[in-house]
Each structure stands twice: as structure tokens, then as C-alpha cells.
Amino acid sequence: MTIDEFIDDATRRMDKSVESAQHEFNTLRTGRASAALLDRIQIDYYGTKTPLNQLASINAPEPRLLTVQPFDPSSLPSIERTIQESDLGLTPSNDGKIIRLPIPQLTEERRKELVKVAHHIAEDGRVKIRNVRRDVMHDLRELREGGDVGEDEERRAEAELQKVTDAKVADLEAHLKAKEAEIMEV
């Protein structure tokens, strides 16, 4: 591989880390109803852990209400139990065909907890980005030691890699700030 291919690969992998963190941010509860809140929910369906969005249609008919309509009505009790036991803090109500999840107003204390969770997600994203940088730096060092590139080329590539890393971390920080503002919005 050439230096440019290593940098392109690193950029692609760092983009995936940012996207992953952004997806995790979307699963955090804010004051508004969003189907993404239930993305992390795994239902025990005939002995297999299955994502809720594969077992039911999830809608947000109102700003503070989610509805979950299972494709198989017999899975309704296990879906309801799993949502009740999750860390989302939602209380499902079941009418036999559909589960309604009213989204309560967040307390100040709960908002601060969610901001901490968002910071933890962002830190995991930063660690993933730094791990990609470390791996590519190692590959560049191996290229130089193998005699494929010179020391100057390696240093230039490392500087370029650091610029990419800084840009991706800044991107992640922007997503964090936006999520933090969304959580703290009353």
C-alpha cells in the first residue's frame, strides 16, 4: 500500500467511528419522541435476541409519544417487559395490539445524567479515532523500516494523518455539542 492509501483508509475508518458515535447519540433520550430511542432494545424472541425494529413498527405520532406495533401479537408481552426493564425510564401501556410509550418531560437531574452518557459516548469515539491513528502510524513505521519510503515521507504522512485525526475529533465534538444542547433544551 502507498502512503495515500493508508491515509484514505484511516480517513474512512475514522469516519465510521464518528458515524457510530452519532448513531449512539441518536439513541439517547431527549424531550422529543424519536424511533431511534428504541434502537438499542433487544427482545428475546423465541430464544434469540432480536432488535425491536425487526419485530415491530415504531412510530412517533405525537412529539411526546412513541407507538410500537408488533408484527406478531404474541410478542407483545415480552416487548413490553423488555422496554420496562430497559434504562430508558419509559413506562409502556399496552392495549392488546399496540404499545404506547409516553415520553415524560426530563428532569434537570436526568438531563445532566444524559449529558454524562453523551460525553462517555464521545470519549469512546475519540479513543476509536486515536486507535486508527496509532495503527496507521505503526504501518507507516513498517513502510519506512522496510525501505519502501524515506523518513521525510513518513514524517509528512504522519503530519497529514494528525490533521485528519484532529478534523475527525473536531467533527465528533461538534456532534457532542449539538446533542448536549438538544438534551439541555427545556
Side-chain angles (χ1 to χ4, degrees):
M1 284 177 71
T2 67
I3 288 177
D4 290 339
E5 289 171 334
F6 277 122
I7 300 293
D8 290 344
D9 179 53
T11 304
R12 229 181 352 271
R13 289 168 52 199
M14 288 178 187
D15 280 338
K16 286 181 184 173
S17 297
V18 171
E19 286 173 25
S20 171
Q22 189 175 10
H23 181 74
E24 286 288 315
F25 286 149
N26 289 339
T27 66
L28 283 180
R29 198 179 106 191
T30 59
R32 285 183 227 98
S34 165
L37 287 175
L38 302 175
D39 281 355
R40 292 183 295 159
I41 303 293
Q42 300 273 323
I43 309 298
D44 187 13
Y45 187 63
Y46 293 108
T48 306
K49 289 285 188 190
T50 309
L52 177 59
N53 57 12
Q54 292 180 11
L55 294 176
S57 65
I58 303 168
N59 296 306
E62 298 171 21
R64 294 203 170 278
L65 179 70
L66 281 176
T67 58
V68 179
Q69 187 166 17
F71 303 129
D72 175 9
S74 68
S75 65
L76 201 70
S78 65
I79 292 174
E80 186 177 19
R81 186 175 355 90
T82 305
I83 292 172
Q84 182 80 41
E85 293 169 356
S86 73
D87 64 350
L88 293 174
L90 299 176
T91 307
S93 64
N94 165 1
D95 70 1
K97 293 181 182 153
I98 197 166
I99 296 173
R100 287 182 178 75
L101 297 166
I103 309 290
Q105 187 72 20
L106 292 172
T107 63
E108 187 68 23
E109 185 178 309
R110 184 68 178 140
R111 287 177 197 279
K112 288 178 180 171
E113 286 175 24
L114 288 173
V115 166
K116 286 180 185 173
V117 172
H119 280 276
H120 181 71
I121 291 169
E123 182 56 34
D124 287 348
R126 284 189 290 268
V127 167
K128 288 177 186 174
I129 289 170
R130 285 191 220 106
N131 285 343
V132 170
R133 180 189 62 191
R134 184 198 60 219
D135 293 346
V136 173
M137 291 277 219
H138 178 76
D139 293 340
L140 291 171
R141 204 169 301 116
E142 283 182 349
L143 270 182
R144 181 182 49 88
E145 289 170 1
D148 296 331
V149 296
E151 218 172 289
D152 290 344
E153 288 174 300
E154 180 196 14
R155 269 198 227 104
R156 268 194 296 279
E158 286 176 355
E160 189 176 334
L161 182 62
Q162 187 60 47
K163 285 180 189 170
V164 170
T165 303
D166 293 342
K168 297 306 171 190
V169 168
D171 196 16
L172 188 63
E173 289 300 318
H175 290 303
L176 172 64
K177 292 291 179 220
K179 189 61 179 185
E180 201 173 322
E182 186 181 334
I183 290 170
M184 295 309 285
E185 180 185 304
V186 178

